[in-house]
Amino acid sequence: MLGQQANSQVQGTSYKIGNGMPAMSPTPGMVSPSSTSVPPLVSSGSPMTPSGAVITTTAPQFEQSYIENILRLNLGKFGTFYMTYEGNKEWNARIFQGIIEAAGRDHIIISDPKTGRRIMLLMVNFDYATFDEPLLYQYPGVVGNYPQAPSRF
């Protein structure tokens, strides 16, 4: 074979090998097809230098301010949960009371302290919740944003 310009014969048919262009050497920043290096494992949100080195930081990572994260910060607290069920002829809206045991992206698990019964509520039906005690709330990127006594005019 004569490099990139060579042709091969397969059952009388001529095939051109390559694209006819001279071979290129990888330049800095290019990855050659034969490269077997693997990028470093990086935890989500870790900064990196342009050369690909991971910068380790001790800055705390904050969850985004979604309802399930706020509920997770307040596990063990008693609340009243207002839910709406569209199209339900028996009951369109219901109120549940209980202690927050778990909260996920699409559900809340509460337990009735009197009976021990556990109820899984779907977030798609969630309207709002009320609590008779202060809630822990951590806004993303702000350290120490815990509830304080409400200010009066």
Side-chain angles (χ1 to χ4, degrees), residues 53-66:
V54 178
I55 300 171
T56 55
T57 62
T58 57
Q61 297 293 324
F62 298 100
E63 291 190 29
Q64 294 182 349
S65 183
Y66 292 115

Side-chain angles (χ1 to χ4, degrees), residues 96-119:
F96 297 90
Q97 290 187 317
I99 296 171
I100 304 170
E101 290 202 359
R105 179 173 256 172
D106 65 347
H107 66 280
I108 308 164
I109 298 175
I110 62 171
S111 63
D112 183 338
K114 294 174 187 167
T115 64
R117 181 175 165 206
R118 285 167 179 72
I119 304 167

Side-chain angles (χ1 to χ4, degrees), residues 66-122:
Y66 292 115
I67 294 169
E68 67 266 18
N69 296 335
I70 297 166
L71 292 172
R72 274 190 221 119
L73 283 172
N74 292 282
L75 296 178
K77 294 193 177 182
F78 184 85
T80 303
F81 300 85
Y82 297 84
M83 314 294 279
T84 302
Y85 300 89
E86 280 188 46
N88 190 322
K89 293 182 189 329
E90 290 181 43
W91 34 268
N92 185 322
R94 290 215 40 195
I95 299 170
F96 297 90
Q97 290 187 317
I99 296 171
I100 304 170
E101 290 202 359
R105 179 173 256 172
D106 65 347
H107 66 280
I108 308 164
I109 298 175
I110 62 171
S111 63
D112 183 338
K114 294 174 187 167
T115 64
R117 181 175 165 206
R118 285 167 179 72
I119 304 167
M120 183 178 347
L121 305 171
L122 298 179

Side-chain angles (χ1 to χ4, degrees), residues 140-151:
V142 178
V143 177
N145 190 13
Y146 291 102
Q148 299 175 357
S151 61

Side-chain angles (χ1 to χ4, degrees), residues 4 16 23 34 42 48 50 67 70 78 89 99 116 125 145 153:
Q4 296 287 339
K16 190 168 193 160
S34 62
V42 180
M48 294 181 71
I67 294 169
I70 297 166
F78 184 85
K89 293 182 189 329
I99 296 171
N125 304 116
N145 190 13
F153 294 60

